[in-house]
């Protein structure tokens, strides 16, 4: 008798893998506890106040190339990507924990610079480092971070709150980090970097978590679902669709892109709209909004932050269906959002 084929994690993909094991851990959770399935876990704390908790890992050779990013930038980014999850819940970050696996030959000067970058963002956001763990690694650096935050329960925003008809919007430009990564990996990059190239590299190496934006949006009842853009719109919007039981359509010509990305896309013949839709690590926020109140919200957002809350599409009732439109016509992306276990 032929042995059944063993299911591999590559067959499931990152989010299929999470769906595979998580149901057993979601049964009979204590009242008020929200577990696997959102940007953060939510835990009852003091009255209406809730703790939100996130963890993330950065692995050398997967998330960063040690020879291509400065130690200071890596320290900054390691904290930033976790703060972005806190922002996605509309919460205020409080405390962080850092664990690192370090090859024995790692230079102390490199580690000093790593912690300099971490301290810079830690001071700027008033997030205290309270502990963690260190261990040896045979070859690669592994960085694991946990961040705790706080929010009023009425202000916490989840991926599961989108409704058909909602406007889909983002709080920043898309594709800049992907552009920076392309420059890092490309043999065609100019020896002397242009202003646009420097901008994209900085956006990749030092992403800004949208903490103030998240806290502002979370106080507005017309804002329904919210998450951060870590794996690209093509992946992250699907997470909202899955949790909310809905579909979505995205208008490619509406995706906000920076002048720097436009310049580099023209120079290097990059597919601009594909990068904007499927590039990851922008760490702005992706929200769905009551369509009747979007215009006023966008005006308030513009007045507060001096830039647009960019509408890029709408939520549809067609469960699981994500449609891209370009000038009103269906468009098939050649590039998809990031998935750790898919090649």
């Amino acid at each position: 008798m032929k042995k059944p084929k063993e299911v591999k994690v590559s067959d499931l993909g990152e989010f299929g893998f999470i769906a595979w094991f998580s149901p057993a851990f979601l049964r009979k959770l204590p009242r008020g506890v929200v577990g696997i399935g959102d940007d953060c876990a939510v835990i009852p704390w003091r009255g209406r106040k809730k703790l939100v908790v996130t963890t993330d890992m950065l692995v050398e050779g997967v998330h960063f190339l040690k020879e291509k990013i400065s130690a200071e930038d890596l320290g900054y980014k390691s904290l930033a990507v976790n703060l972005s999850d806190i922002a996605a819940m509309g919460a205020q970050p409080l405390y962080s924990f850092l664990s690192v696996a370090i090859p024995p030959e790692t230079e102390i000067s490199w580690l000093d610079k790593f912690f300099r970058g971490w301290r810079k963002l830690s001071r700027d956001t008033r997030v205290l480092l309270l502990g963690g763990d260190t261990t040896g690694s045979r070859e690669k650096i592994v960085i694991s971070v946990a961040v705790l935050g706080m929010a009023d329960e009425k202000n916490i925003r989840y991926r599961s709150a989108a409704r058909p008809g909602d406007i889909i919007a983002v709080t920043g430009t898309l594709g800049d980090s992907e552009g920076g990564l392309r420059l890092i990996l490309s043999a065609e990059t100019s020896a002397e970097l242009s202003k646009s190239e420097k901008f994209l590299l900085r956006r990749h190496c030092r992403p800004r978590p949208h903490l103030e934006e998240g806290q502002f949006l979370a106080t507005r009842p017309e804002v329904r679902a919210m998450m951060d853009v870590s794996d690209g719109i093509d992946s992250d919007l699907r997470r909202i669709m899955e949790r909310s039981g809905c579909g979505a359509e995205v208008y490619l010509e509406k995706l906000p892109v920076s002048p720097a990305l436009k310049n580099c896309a023209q120079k290097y013949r990059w597919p601009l709209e594909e990068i904007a839709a499927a590039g990851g690590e922008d760490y702005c926020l992706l929200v769905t909004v009551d369509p009747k109140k979007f215009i006023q919200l966008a005006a308030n957002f513009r007045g507060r932050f001096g830039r647009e809350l960019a509408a890029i599409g709408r939520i549809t009732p067609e469960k699981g269906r994500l449609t891209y439109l370009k000038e009103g016509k269906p468009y098939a992306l050649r590039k998809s959002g990031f998935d750790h276990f898919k090649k």
Side-chain angles (χ1 to χ4, degrees):
M1 186 175 179
K2 190 175 181 180
K3 185 179 179 181
K5 181 183 177 182
E6 185 72 25
V7 177
K8 299 179 181 178
V9 71
S10 59
D11 297 322
L12 299 176
E14 178 182 359
F15 296 99
F17 169 61
I18 294 171
W20 180 279
F21 77 81
S22 60
F25 296 94
L26 292 171
R27 300 190 191 107
K28 298 182 180 179
L29 288 176
R31 184 175 180 180
V33 173
V34 179
I36 300 165
D38 226 293
D39 286 277
C40 297
V42 179
I43 304 169
W45 191 28
R46 299 174 180 171
R48 295 180 62 87
K49 298 294 184 183
K50 303 277 189 174
L51 281 178
V52 298
V53 186
T54 185
T55 64
D56 207 355
M57 280 196 298
L58 290 89
V59 179
E60 183 181 354
V62 177
H63 300 94
F64 66 93
L65 301 172
K66 186 169 181 266
E67 68 276 11
K68 296 290 188 178
I69 186 172
S70 73
E72 191 167 340
D73 283 346
L74 183 59
Y76 186 102
K77 186 172 184 176
S78 298
L79 179 57
V81 301
N82 283 268
L83 293 180
S84 185
D85 283 334
I86 300 292
M89 305 297 287
Q92 173 190 348
L94 298 173
Y95 309 113
S96 65
F97 297 83
L98 169 66
S99 297
V100 287
I102 311 167
E105 65 274 13
T106 303
E107 306 88 347
I108 291 297
S109 61
W110 187 92
L111 292 168
D112 283 340
K113 293 172 184 174
F114 175 90
F115 282 105
R116 186 186 307 160
W118 180 287
R119 284 197 306 273
K120 170 67 169 67
L121 185 55
S122 180
R123 286 195 302 266
D124 290 348
T125 55
R126 299 181 181 179
V127 176
L128 302 177
L129 177 63
L130 297 187
D133 193 18
T134 57
T135 187
S137 170
R138 292 184 179 180
E139 185 178 358
K140 303 294 185 181
I141 296 172
V142 179
I143 302 161
S144 180
V145 180
V147 176
L148 278 67
M150 175 188 68
D152 191 296
E153 63 180 357
K154 73 177 185 298
N155 292 339
I156 297 175
R157 292 296 181 267
Y158 299 97
R159 300 175 183 181
S160 57
R163 299 292 179 265
D166 281 1
I167 301 295
I168 303 166
V170 290
T171 62
T173 55
L174 300 171
D176 288 335
S177 181
E178 168 77 12
L181 179 61
R182 283 174 176 251
L183 292 172
I184 287 172
L185 299 177
S186 175
E188 300 179 15
T189 305
S190 310
E192 186 171 343
L193 297 175
S194 67
K195 185 177 179 180
S196 292
E197 289 166 337
K198 289 178 182 177
F199 175 86
L200 296 185
L201 287 169
R202 184 169 181 82
R203 288 293 302 272
H204 178 74
C205 294
R206 289 215 175 193
R208 181 181 71 83
H210 286 206
L211 288 164
E212 290 185 21
E213 293 92 330
Q215 291 168 28
F216 168 79
L217 292 168
T219 63
R220 307 301 297 257
E222 62 267 33
V223 175
R224 290 173 173 157
M226 185 159 70
M227 68 179 295
D228 71 332
V229 181
S230 56
D231 294 326
I233 292 294
D234 185 64
S235 281
D236 294 326
L237 186 52
R238 294 179 196 275
R239 308 290 80 79
I240 288 178
M241 290 162 49
E242 289 167 5
R243 297 290 292 172
S244 297
C246 61
E249 59 183 29
V250 173
Y251 316 129
L252 290 174
E253 68 274 10
K254 298 290 187 181
L255 298 181
V257 293
S258 67
L261 183 60
K262 288 181 181 178
N263 291 340
C264 289
Q266 184 176 25
K267 179 178 180 179
Y268 294 107
R269 298 182 180 180
W270 294 341
L272 180 63
E273 291 164 340
E274 302 259 341
I275 291 174
E281 296 198 325
D282 284 309
Y283 297 109
C284 59
L285 299 177
L286 172 66
V287 297
T288 78
V289 182
D290 181 342
K292 296 178 181 178
K293 299 180 180 180
F294 179 79
I295 292 176
Q296 185 60 56
L297 176 66
N300 293 338
F301 185 92
R302 189 184 311 113
R304 175 74 176 270
F305 298 104
R307 64 178 192 280
E308 297 299 315
L309 179 64
I312 64 169
R314 69 180 184 92
I315 296 295
T316 70
E318 300 172 277
K319 184 176 179 180
R321 183 173 181 179
L322 175 56
T323 302
Y324 290 97
L325 300 173
K326 185 173 181 179
E327 304 297 339
K329 297 180 180 179
Y331 184 94
L333 290 185
R334 289 167 292 177
K335 176 179 170 61
S336 59
F338 184 74
D339 187 313
H340 281 282
F341 302 125
K342 296 284 189 178
K343 294 183 179 179

